[in-house]
Amino acid sequence: MSAAAEETTGGEAAPWGEVTPDAARRLLVAAVEAFAERGYHATTTRDIAGRAGMSPAALYIHYKTKEELLHRISRIGHEKAVDILRTAARTEGTATERLAEAVSSFVRWHAGGRTTARVVQYELDSLGPDARAEILALRRQCDAEVRGILEDGMETGEFEVADVPGTTLAVLSLCVDVARWFNVKGPRTPDEVGALYADLVLRMVGPGSSRSAAHR
């Protein structure tokens, strides 16, 4: 089985079940691996078809262009990202508990599905204007979920954040970067990295953090 197909998302199989028929799913998984390994622009449709054990002509039955493949990968990945953050943001609990869950679950997704996440997060500029605009709208939804938790925490006195938009960007950037460096053979599991990052983020936004940073 391919690396992209084996990867986990918070302990679950990569969510390509919505891609049908099977040939279309195999091509999409092959594209994820090729884009992650070689980059979008260096990958050809022949490369993708070959990895899927199919002919280049067979690819065009399911996807009109290489960009359509990237667009679908990006859309599915970003829809999953929104779902992860929205689920955490709307659970019962304090802002502290919800932020910890948002960060830990988002980090687990980027670590467990690192090959897919690298393509989803770092190939945005390879998309055309319309597709890029759609993905940017999904990213704004991710921002809104994290920003909402931070604002809730400020209202309750749990957080002290001088710059909410900037802090939202910092939190999401920390999570996303895990896909770049995480190694399944490394010393920490996705769960352990998620717990570590949740603790770091809570320290970053906790009461007194802004004053401490200002006096350094």
Side-chain angles (χ1 to χ4, degrees):
M1 185 181 292
S2 65
E6 287 179 332
E7 286 182 346
T8 61
T9 306
E12 298 175 2
W16 301 122
E18 64 267 62
V19 180
T20 57
D22 179 68
R25 187 191 66 81
R26 284 164 49 204
L27 286 163
L28 185 141
V29 170
V32 168
E33 293 181 338
F35 295 157
E37 180 182 316
R38 307 187 62 184
Y40 174 79
H41 292 293
T43 298
T44 66
T45 53
R46 184 175 294 276
D47 294 331
I48 296 167
R51 284 173 183 261
M54 300 166 67
S55 70
L59 184 148
Y60 294 110
I61 295 173
H62 303 283
Y63 302 99
K64 294 179 182 178
T65 63
K66 183 175 72 167
E67 185 191 345
E68 183 179 332
L69 261 168
L70 178 61
H71 182 202
R72 190 162 193 195
I73 293 164
S74 297
R75 186 175 66 248
I76 291 171
H78 279 87
E79 287 172 346
K80 179 62 178 177
V82 172
D83 180 64
I84 289 169
L85 294 172
R86 182 169 291 159
T87 298
R90 299 183 183 183
T91 55
E92 296 291 332
T94 65
T96 298
E97 291 168 339
R98 288 183 286 129
L99 183 59
E101 176 58 25
V103 171
S104 62
S105 58
F106 206 41
V107 165
R108 287 197 305 270
W109 183 67
H110 282 87
R114 59 207 168 277
T115 303
T116 298
R118 283 199 299 272
V119 176
V120 169
Q121 299 291 5
Y122 295 116
E123 287 287 3
L124 176 65
D125 290 338
S126 298
L127 292 170
D130 291 343
R132 189 173 186 274
E134 180 186 355
I135 301 306
L136 285 173
L138 290 169
R139 288 195 175 193
R140 287 193 291 272
Q141 292 181 43
C142 290
D143 291 351
E145 297 299 339
V146 174
R147 187 170 62 249
I149 301 174
L150 293 176
E151 290 170 346
D152 288 347
M154 290 176 65
E155 289 182 6
T156 61
E158 295 169 68
F159 304 151
E160 185 175 296
V161 179
D163 181 345
V164 172
T167 302
T168 298
L169 177 60
V171 170
L172 289 170
S173 296
L174 280 171
C175 297
V176 166
D177 193 57
V178 170
R180 182 184 58 79
W181 62 261
F182 184 81
N183 186 338
V184 69
K185 297 180 181 179
R188 290 189 172 96
T189 66
D191 284 345
E192 289 169 339
V193 177
L196 171 64
Y197 273 49
D199 180 67
L200 292 172
V201 168
L202 291 179
R203 291 173 184 271
M204 183 172 72
V205 302
S209 58
S210 296
R211 290 192 297 275
S212 296
H215 286 88
R216 285 173 189 162

